[in-house]
Amino acid sequence: MVDYVSATDLASNAPGKGASMVGVQGSGTVQEVLVPCADRATLAARTNQTTMAYLLEPGRQGAFYWSGSDLSSAINADPAQAFYVPPATAPTGSTGAWVRASVNLGVASLTWFGNPGDGSVSDAQAEAAMTAAFAWLNAVGGRTLEVPSGVFTYTSDKRIVASGATLRGTANCRFLAKNSSRLMIGLADDSTTVNGRITKAGTKAIGVKLVTIGFLPADGHSGSIVTLDYCDETTIDSVEISMYGSSSNVTGIECRWTQWVYLRRCKVNVNSRAVWIRQQWTNIQNEDHYHFEDCLFYIGKLINPPDIVPLSCVQIEKEPGNSYGIFEFSMRGCHFLGIPNDTARRVSAVAVKNSASGDSRAIHRLSHYSCFFEDTWYGFDGNRFVQAGDGYDTSRVSFYGCSFLRFGSAVYGKDYSKNSSDFTGCYFLQGANVTNGAMGRFGLSNVIEAIDTPFANSILRNRFTDKNMSDIAASGAGRLRAQSNVAVGATDTSVVINHGLAATPTKVIFWTLNDNTWKPSVVATNVNATSFTANFAAPGATKTLYWEAEAAYL
């Protein structure tokens, strides 16, 4: 069986050969129905307009057919000649032009606009190609700009404002931002205020997708790399944002007027903030609904941050005047990585920042599922960035099946009654504290090992469903529940019991087993952080007294 097409067959005009082998109906050779043209100049010079042409110019390859219609408006809208090549004798296109025979309407390749991505064009040419490509993408909603393998440079901000637009890459495609340029979605106009609040205006982009794109800013980049300026229902999927050299603080993704943001399978590796969610004081508060799944957020992995300042993988900043909180925020399967053994910058996985007095809850519900916190000094930081002395954050934070390795505090907040976090099925290894300031509500199957002081405030600041967490003993902090038995002599009326708990027990109970001859009424006295005294009537014979003590409660 022959599984290739020979040059002889393509050059034949026999039935079943030639042009019919590449999908062109009728008889004739391929050369007779699809004439190769080395470049656009060759195509523009063609006088035989009855035969289709195949453009071979690098990055612009594709079939073109002749249209005799007045295409002057289309020519004006396509200065890069991605879709239309006018004849050399009538460059306005008023008498016709060669038209790209696109297979999928509304889909274009970035290379068609003049940059093949192989480094063969100048920065100025690459910028012009990128500008033309984004102009096409924004002209009509729902278009898709495909990015093949290669490096594509741009030297000024590029913005997507068309709803439903998709920027879709392939393996090994890279956007190289120079001059600290950003890719921006939507256009926020914050120039108008009413009673001190920003009136939201501009162009909201809805349903934009960035898929399989790599962003690699040039050395010396400053500020954000991707900015969600004014948009809803934004999906960023399989996108990598990395940097290798900068003396300035760099943010991976900056969110301004956004809601319903979906990050999936993304890797953000920068030196300041992987994601920065800014909540401004606007007339309509709708910065809400964030869902991150299977993402990697790394701070300082490739290059150390330039400043000795607190850093965070994800930061939610409530700017002055904003009193609204994010209603719901979820993260699933995400990996937060800080700087090992760095006690100066102390990277937070998630941090909230505000300068307001009193309660300024940033998030009504933040849920983590199966996330890994590695070398992050704080898992959730609701304290360091709260700048007012009388300010505090009461965000409700939950962790389900998460792991913490080498950390300062899994949750850090001010010691305020409304501060609380929930833990279920989590693993804590080699850290300073599980909770510091904030209350912890511990459900079932949590494991705490090699922790200096599991609860920085007091074990009684926390609540526990599962009190048999014996692994806490490995940290030298005792247990939450202890039970054992003690021998009682025939004439004894009391016995001192060392319980070994982490704090003064809040409940002590006693009982006997299989002994109908001694049913004492036992009273605990002198209860303290080390021991308690069991008081009872002398049993008259040697007996065994069983006890259980709890140092925490629901």
Side-chain angles (χ1 to χ4, degrees):
M1 179 177 180
V2 178
D3 58 358
Y4 61 89
V5 179
S6 69
T8 301
D9 288 340
L10 290 174
S12 171
N13 58 9
K17 305 288 186 177
S20 64
M21 301 184 72
V22 293
V24 179
Q25 299 300 316
S27 60
T29 68
V30 169
Q31 287 82 1
E32 291 172 333
V33 299
L34 198 62
V35 178
C37 293
D39 51 34
R40 284 167 292 145
T42 304
L43 179 59
R46 279 191 55 78
T47 57
N48 182 354
Q49 298 169 347
T50 62
T51 305
M52 290 183 68
Y54 190 87
L55 184 62
L56 298 174
E57 187 173 335
R60 296 177 178 268
Q61 295 93 331
F64 283 75
Y65 65 90
W66 175 261
S67 172
S69 303
D70 181 355
L71 297 175
S72 55
S73 60
I75 295 296
N76 289 333
D78 184 27
Q81 296 185 344
F83 302 94
Y84 302 93
V85 179
T89 55
T92 64
S94 60
T95 60
W98 291 96
V99 182
R100 183 181 291 276
S102 299
V103 176
N104 297 315
L105 296 178
V107 179
S109 172
L110 177 57
T111 62
W112 294 354
F113 296 87
N115 183 3
D118 59 1
S120 62
V121 301
S122 67
D123 284 356
Q125 291 171 314
E127 167 70 10
M130 190 75 82
T131 299
F134 273 74
W136 173 84
L137 182 64
N138 287 320
V140 178
R143 286 180 169 176
T144 296
L145 183 63
E146 295 185 336
V147 186
S149 297
V151 178
F152 301 89
T153 299
Y154 53 106
T155 58
S156 65
D157 290 347
K158 294 294 167 284
R159 193 183 296 269
I160 299 174
V161 294
S163 293
T166 298
L167 189 63
R168 186 184 305 279
T170 55
N172 300 317
C173 71
R174 290 290 183 269
F175 273 22
L176 176 58
K178 294 187 176 182
N179 301 332
S180 297
S181 302
R182 301 165 293 174
L183 177 72
M184 308 182 73
I185 300 178
L187 174 60
D189 178 2
D190 55 6
S191 61
T192 304
T193 61
V194 176
N195 296 326
R197 295 188 178 189
I198 297 170
T199 298
K200 285 188 176 180
T203 303
K204 180 190 290 188
I206 301 174
V208 172
K209 296 181 176 65
L210 306 182
V211 183
T212 323
I213 302 289
F215 292 90
L216 179 64
D219 289 353
H221 188 95
S222 177
S224 62
I225 299 171
V226 174
T227 298
L228 308 188
D229 203 24
Y230 190 16
C231 51
D232 283 359
E233 303 171 30
T234 305
T235 299
I236 303 179
D237 192 342
S238 303
V239 167
E240 179 179 352
I241 302 173
S242 295
M243 59 170 295
Y244 294 92
S246 181
S247 58
S248 301
N249 290 315
V250 177
T251 296
I253 301 173
E254 177 184 350
C255 302
R256 294 189 67 210
W257 300 348
T258 59
Q259 63 176 354
W260 299 111
V261 177
Y262 303 93
L263 267 59
R264 297 168 179 160
R265 297 176 290 274
C266 293
K267 178 181 179 180
V268 186
N269 187 355
V270 293
N271 70 354
S272 179
R273 290 168 293 213
V275 180
W276 180 23
I277 300 173
R278 297 175 56 190
Q279 296 180 281
Q280 296 178 293
W281 196 23
T282 60
N283 60 332
I284 301 175
Q285 298 293 336
N286 63 349
E287 291 69 53
D288 211 344
H289 309 293
Y290 295 85
H291 301 271
F292 300 168
E293 182 176 352
D294 298 328
C295 293
L296 310 178
F297 300 119
Y298 296 166
I299 297 296
K301 182 178 175 67
L302 298 180
I303 181 172
N304 278 330
D307 298 329
I308 307 298
V309 297
L311 303 169
S312 52
C313 295
V314 178
Q315 184 177 99
I316 300 94
E317 180 174 355
K318 300 187 71 169
E319 298 187 356
N322 184 296
S323 60
Y324 294 81
I326 296 173
F327 189 73
E328 53 101 15
F329 196 150
S330 69
M331 302 187 187
R332 295 177 180 271
C334 294
H335 182 194
F336 303 89
L337 178 64
I339 307 172
N341 304 314
D342 190 325
T343 59
R345 283 163 283 210
R346 298 188 173 187
V347 175
S348 300
V350 181
V352 297
K353 180 179 181 180
N354 67 74
S355 58
S357 299
D359 184 359
S360 56
R361 180 180 298 176
I363 312 169
H364 292 288
R365 172 59 69 181
L366 171 60
S367 301
H368 304 82
Y369 303 88
S370 302
C371 293
F372 181 31
F373 301 81
E374 181 181 7
D375 291 313
T376 55
W377 199 262
Y378 302 108
F380 177 80
D381 182 358
N383 196 345
R384 285 190 304 167
F385 297 93
V386 178
Q387 297 163 334
D390 60 347
Y392 49 89
D393 180 82
T394 59
S395 297
R396 292 298 302 269
V397 186
S398 299
F399 301 88
Y400 305 95
C402 295
S403 298
F404 297 79
L405 176 63
R406 296 186 299 271
F407 60 96
S409 298
V411 174
Y412 182 43
K414 291 192 175 181
D415 191 358
Y416 179 68
S417 61
K418 293 172 65 176
N419 278 348
S420 65
S421 298
D422 302 320
F423 301 93
T424 300
C426 294
Y427 184 32
F428 307 89
L429 178 65
Q430 298 176 15
N433 321 119
V434 177
T435 59
N436 186 342
M439 173 195 297
R441 299 178 183 271
F442 293 84
L444 299 176
S445 305
N446 292 290
V447 176
I448 301 176
E449 291 186 319
I451 306 300
D452 297 339
T453 305
F455 312 105
N457 295 66
S458 165
I459 196 171
L460 299 182
R461 177 77 170 92
N462 303 276
R463 302 292 181 266
F464 301 86
T465 299
D466 181 4
K467 302 182 182 66
N468 293 316
M469 297 170 63
S470 58
D471 292 306
I472 296 180
S475 305
R479 296 179 297 277
L480 303 176
R481 171 188 286 158
Q483 60 179 216
S484 188
N485 60 76
V486 62
V488 176
T491 60
D492 289 345
T493 57
S494 66
V495 62
V496 176
I497 298 172
N498 294 317
H499 52 71
L501 296 178
T504 300
T506 55
K507 182 172 71 172
V508 181
I509 61 174
F510 304 92
W511 69 96
T512 59
L513 294 176
N514 302 319
D515 189 346
N516 294 323
T517 63
W518 189 48
K519 296 290 185 181
S521 176
V522 185
V523 177
T525 60
N526 301 322
V527 180
N528 56 55
T530 304
S531 63
F532 56 86
T533 301
N535 303 274
F536 42 80
T542 300
K543 299 292 183 179
T544 299
L545 178 67
Y546 294 84
W547 60 269
E548 178 180 278
E550 290 184 357
Y553 50 89
L554 292 178

